[in-house]
Amino acid sequence: MGEREQEFVKEAFETNWIAPVGPHLEAFEQEFCQVTGASYAAAVSSGTAALHLALKLIGIGYGDEVICSTLTFAASANPITYLGAKPVFIDSDRTSWNMNPDLLREALEQRDRIGKLPKAVVLVHLYGQCADIDPIMKVCDQYGIPLIEDAAEALGATYKGRTPGTFGKFGIYSFNGNKIITTSGGGMLVCDDRELIAKAKFLATQARDPAPYYQHSEIGYNYRLSNVLAGIGRGQLLVLNDRVAARRRNYEVYSSALGKLPGVAFMPEASYGNCTRWLTCLTIDPEIFGADTEQIRIALAKQQIETRPVWKPLHLQPVFAECECVGGEVAEDLFARGLCLPSGSNLTDADLERVIDAILSVYSPSKSS
Ligand SMILES: *Cc1c(COP(=O)(O)O)cnc(C)c1O
């Protein structure tokens, strides 16, 4: 937390706005728009809820296909299935680790030929790095397919100077406890269309018709963020730049200590933007490094240092076993050889040094010769 969150929460208590409405909620949405350049925003209970609403507002329904990045967290695809639709996964490219625009174009061309275009594309900006949005938007526009940007990990990043999440039809963000900024749990949906955001708020509050009694003509959800948590969010927005700087600094320290080590490569930073380095991720070439990522993970765990493999691609998940994937080898390779290092914005120099020393102690290039 920064310095102001508690004040905002106290204000909510003192004014007794302990509800999913109140002045903090509207202020948080407005301030979020100022920070990101989004036109309209709806604060909701999670990033997953925001994505569910975006898909619902586009009109995704039973049997539809929705394209999604394969290298991501399950929450990027789960809401597709909430609506009875089917995800179709697309592999990453090596330069950004994000959706490969050429594979997306191939997938759309092929589906266009058989007259079965997907109803939406969910584009993930992984680990705080933007996907190459322009070519992806271009091919989506060409086929009239709405783009949803999953910027849950990328608040504070830039793509050609602008905030990811503000390019597509909808953008979603997460304020879960592990994200760049947090409200303990929460999310934001953004869009250029005032009516659609109004509709999102309507659906997020149980879809009550304007009547003095409770009347419903549509199925709604209980997805609104509470006024108390929005207060935390207002405080967190004030420290967003600091949090991004702290995460980028983790990366700088790690990469200057380990980046030249044979067999080690950090996630590349694409030239078109600024990555938040939400997590610092690297890949290991086990032949050269003398240990694989699992051996490194276990060695570090013995010293109470938690690392995790890069996201297991969704097309390899048991729950999505029946879904199609276009390509997949790049994401599979990044999963096999990728490791996420401790990356919190509160890590001290001593913490970073301890992680670096632990990794250096596993490094054993002679074993491979
Ligand atoms: C965290 C995350 C989500 C979901 O956000 P929640 O607020 O936890 O529901 C969606 N997509 C990605 C890529 C995420 O990292």
Side-chain angles (χ1 to χ4, degrees):
M1 291 288 109
E3 287 169 10
R4 299 283 305 281
E5 290 83 347
Q6 224 160 13
E7 270 171 51
F8 287 121
V9 171
K10 191 156 168 255
E11 199 180 307
F13 274 62
E14 281 168 359
T15 55
N16 208 27
W17 282 105
I18 314 296
V21 287
H24 282 329
L25 195 65
E26 275 162 46
F28 183 35
E29 289 166 347
Q30 274 169 21
E31 289 158 7
F32 191 85
C33 287
Q34 280 160 17
V35 166
T36 57
S39 304
Y40 302 100
V44 291
S45 52
S46 69
T48 310
L51 189 51
H52 188 188
L53 290 170
L55 291 160
K56 175 89 186 164
L57 289 164
I58 285 171
I60 303 303
Y62 188 81
D64 290 341
E65 281 187 345
V66 174
I67 291 212
C68 183
S69 312
T70 189
L71 189 64
T72 183
F73 181 42
S76 301
N78 283 345
I80 298 168
T81 70
Y82 300 169
L83 293 162
K86 253 185 18 200
V88 173
F89 299 113
I90 306 270
D91 201 3
S92 302
D93 69 32
R94 291 217 173 256
T95 46
S96 71
W97 293 21
N98 283 305
M99 187 184 288
N100 181 326
D102 296 329
L103 290 181
L104 173 66
R105 187 173 352 92
E106 278 173 33
L108 294 184
E109 279 167 3
Q110 185 262 335
R111 285 178 149 65
D112 187 39
R113 279 197 296 272
I114 57 170
K116 196 170 180 288
L117 281 169
K119 292 284 162 55
V121 170
V122 176
L123 175 65
V124 180
H125 303 303
L126 199 74
Y127 296 126
Q129 167 139 278
C130 296
D132 195 359
I133 300 171
D134 278 346
I136 288 170
M137 287 263 289
K138 197 170 158 219
V139 69
C140 285
D141 286 348
Q142 187 187 332
Y143 288 101
I145 299 171
L147 179 71
I148 303 171
E149 293 179 76
D150 177 350
E153 303 173 1
L155 181 58
T158 57
Y159 179 80
K160 301 182 181 176
R162 275 175 58 197
T163 302
T166 62
F167 291 81
K169 176 96 179 161
F170 290 101
I172 74 104
Y173 305 85
S174 168
F175 313 118
N176 194 29
N178 60 348
K179 295 303 196 307
I180 304 279
I181 58 170
T182 181
T183 59
S184 75
M188 194 72 83
L189 175 70
V190 302
C191 179
D192 281 346
D193 185 330
R194 180 203 293 268
E195 298 288 310
L196 285 174
I197 288 297
K199 185 81 193 280
K201 292 176 184 176
F202 165 79
L203 290 173
T205 49
Q206 309 284 22
R208 276 182 67 189
D209 290 342
Y213 35 81
Y214 283 84
Q215 175 177 293
H216 307 270
S217 310
E218 276 186 73
I219 297 296
Y221 307 92
N222 184 2
Y223 275 174
R224 205 74 163 108
L225 189 70
S226 92
N227 189 61
V228 178
L229 299 185
I232 300 179
R234 294 184 72 188
Q236 285 276 282
L237 277 182
L238 298 171
V239 294
L240 171 62
N241 290 339
D242 300 339
R243 297 296 181 266
V244 171
R247 291 199 187 240
R248 284 194 63 91
R249 187 176 164 276
N250 292 338
Y251 160 73
E252 303 290 345
V253 174
Y254 283 133
S255 72
S256 62
L258 302 168
K260 295 213 169 64
L261 217 57
V264 174
F266 284 83
M267 180 177 80
E269 186 158 6
S271 58
Y272 47 63
N274 208 3
C275 173
T276 64
R277 298 284 174 186
W278 174 57
L279 300 186
T280 292
C281 309
L282 47 72
T283 51
I284 295 291
D285 187 334
E287 299 291 307
I288 300 171
F289 189 86
D292 64 17
T293 45
E294 187 56 8
Q295 286 166 316
I296 299 172
R297 190 188 70 76
I298 290 167
L300 269 61
K302 284 193 184 127
Q303 299 185 43
Q304 312 299 320
I305 299 169
E306 186 186 38
T307 60
R308 294 255 177 95
V310 161
W311 296 122
K312 180 172 182 171
L314 297 185
H315 72 276
L316 298 182
Q317 299 290 348
V319 76
F320 294 122
E322 270 154 39
C323 298
E324 191 184 330
C325 185
V326 182
E329 303 78 15
V330 173
E332 285 168 26
D333 177 57
L334 292 171
F335 171 56
R337 298 193 302 109
L339 197 66
C340 306
L341 302 183
S343 301
S345 42
N346 56 352
L347 290 174
T348 63
D349 286 343
D351 292 332
L352 293 167
E353 211 164 302
R354 203 162 78 80
V355 177
I356 289 164
D357 288 345
I359 293 173
L360 287 172
S361 72
V362 191
Y363 176 59
S364 49
S366 56
K367 272 189 199 159
S368 61
S369 54

